[in-house]
Amino acid sequence: HDLESLFGIKSEILPFQNASIYEGVNINKYDYAKQINILMEEPDILIAPIRSILEKFSDKKFFEKNHLSLRIGDEISQKEMLNKLTEYGYRRATMVNDISEFSIRGDITDIYPPNDNPVRIEFWGDEIVDIRTFDRETQRSLEKGIKEIKVYPMYKFVIPDKVPDGFPKELIDQFREERYFEGIEVYQSYFNSALVSVFDYLKDYIVIFDEKSEIYTKYQFLAENYEQQYQENLKTQLIYEC
C-alpha cells in the first residue's frame, strides 16, 4: 500500500497453496484465483514466499487455448455453455455463492470464475444481451455494462476424455465417474505437462532476497519434507501393487 500511495508502484503478494503435492487435499480455490489474477496482471513488484516460488503453474498458452470468451451480442446455447463449464471443472448449483459454481435459471446464467466477484449473464434466446458482476451474498448487481469476460478453468489442467497413460489403477474408476474428484490436483502432471514456475510469467525481472539465510533454511526444510513424503508415498504404492 505504501509503494502504491507514495510512488504509484503496483505490488502484490503471491499466495501459496498450503497443501502437500502428496496429499489428497483440494486446493484453496480463492488462493488459486488470486495467484492467476496476479500472474496475468504482471505487477511491478511481486512479493513471494519460498513456497509460492516452488509451485508450478499453467503456462500462458494454456489460458490462451482454454477459456470461454463471452461478449455482448455473441450467440451460444446454454447447453453448450453448460458443457464447457463442466469441462473446465465448474459445478452446477441452485444459487451461486462459492467460486467454481454456476447456475442456469431461465435466461440467466450465473458463473463464479477466478475473479473477485461472480458474473451474471442474461440471454435473449441464445444471444448474450447483458453481462454484469454481482455480490454473492446479497445477489445485487455491482459492475454493469461489461462488454466481455473470459472464463478460465478452475484447475491447472483440463480433464481429458481418456484415462492418461500411467494413471494410478486404483483411481481409474473414480476418474471415470467423478472426473474432477477430491485431490485430483496431486496428479496434475498427468493432464498438463507444460507446468512452469512463476519466473516464466515475469519479464526483465530482478530477484531480491530478503533474509537469504532464512530462505535457504526454509527451502531445505521443504525439500526434506517433500522427499520424506515421496518415500512414504512410494512405499504405499509398492504395498498396493504387491
Side-chain angles (χ1 to χ4, degrees):
H1 291 300
D2 289 344
L3 285 169
E4 188 168 5
S5 62
L6 296 175
F7 306 106
I9 297 175
K10 185 173 179 58
S11 61
E12 295 282 359
I13 299 176
L14 185 68
F16 60 85
Q17 293 297 328
N18 193 21
S20 167
I21 57 176
Y22 299 110
E23 294 176 356
V25 179
N26 275 355
I27 64 170
N28 184 315
K29 290 185 173 63
Y30 291 93
D31 284 341
Y32 174 66
K34 188 171 179 60
Q35 288 175 329
I36 297 306
N37 289 327
I38 288 173
L39 294 178
M40 291 292 189
E41 291 171 3
E42 299 181 1
D44 300 314
I45 294 178
L46 186 63
I47 304 167
I50 186 66
R51 290 197 63 165
S52 59
I53 292 295
L54 294 175
E55 276 195 57
K56 294 293 186 180
F57 301 91
S58 308
D59 61 9
K60 290 185 178 181
K61 291 182 179 179
F62 172 83
F63 294 106
E64 291 172 1
K65 179 182 178 182
N66 299 289
H67 70 270
L68 180 60
S69 183
L70 302 172
R71 304 181 187 88
I72 297 292
D74 282 356
E75 290 191 3
I76 179 173
S77 68
Q78 290 189 336
K79 181 179 179 181
E80 183 182 351
M81 181 181 291
L82 184 151
N83 291 337
K84 205 66 178 176
L85 291 171
T86 303
E87 178 187 347
Y88 286 165
Y90 290 78
R91 299 179 184 275
R92 190 166 185 173
T94 304
M95 180 177 291
V96 168
N97 56 27
D98 201 3
I99 199 167
S100 80
E101 293 181 343
F102 75 95
S103 71
I104 297 177
R105 307 186 312 279
D107 293 331
I108 301 293
T109 297
D110 291 343
I111 309 172
Y112 201 155
N115 299 83
D116 293 333
N117 293 295
V119 179
R120 179 160 291 156
I121 303 158
E122 186 175 347
F123 288 83
W124 179 262
D126 289 339
E127 182 183 354
I128 298 174
V129 295
D130 186 53
I131 301 174
R132 57 188 182 273
T133 59
F134 65 94
D135 187 294
R136 63 172 181 167
E137 295 182 358
T138 64
Q139 297 291 306
R140 292 182 178 178
S141 297
L142 296 173
E143 183 182 358
K144 300 180 181 180
I146 298 173
K147 301 298 182 183
E148 177 185 4
I149 63 162
K150 290 184 178 180
V151 179
Y152 293 109
M154 281 309 310
Y155 295 85
K156 300 176 183 180
F157 50 86
V158 174
I159 292 290
D161 294 330
K162 294 183 178 180
V163 179
D165 294 336
F167 194 73
K169 295 179 181 179
E170 68 273 16
L171 295 174
I172 290 178
D173 289 341
Q174 190 174 11
F175 170 88
R176 288 172 175 165
E177 293 174 5
E178 301 179 34
R179 308 289 284 170
Y180 291 95
F181 59 83
E182 184 175 352
I184 189 70
E185 298 87 357
V186 175
Y187 308 96
Q188 60 190 18
S189 59
Y190 285 97
F191 313 116
N192 187 355
S193 59
L195 296 171
V196 300
S197 77
V198 62
F199 293 103
D200 289 82
Y201 276 86
L202 308 180
K203 299 176 183 177
D204 301 325
Y205 58 86
I206 298 174
V207 179
I208 300 175
F209 296 94
D210 182 31
E211 301 293 348
K212 184 180 289 187
S213 61
E214 292 187 16
I215 293 174
Y216 286 152
T217 300
K218 183 66 174 181
Y219 174 80
Q220 183 178 0
F221 169 78
L222 291 171
E224 292 174 353
N225 190 40
Y226 283 149
E227 178 63 25
Q228 181 182 354
Q229 290 180 328
Y230 170 75
Q231 294 299 333
E232 292 175 355
N233 186 66
L234 191 61
K235 289 179 182 178
T236 304
Q237 184 67 22
L238 290 172
I239 291 171
Y240 176 82
E241 291 176 356
C242 291

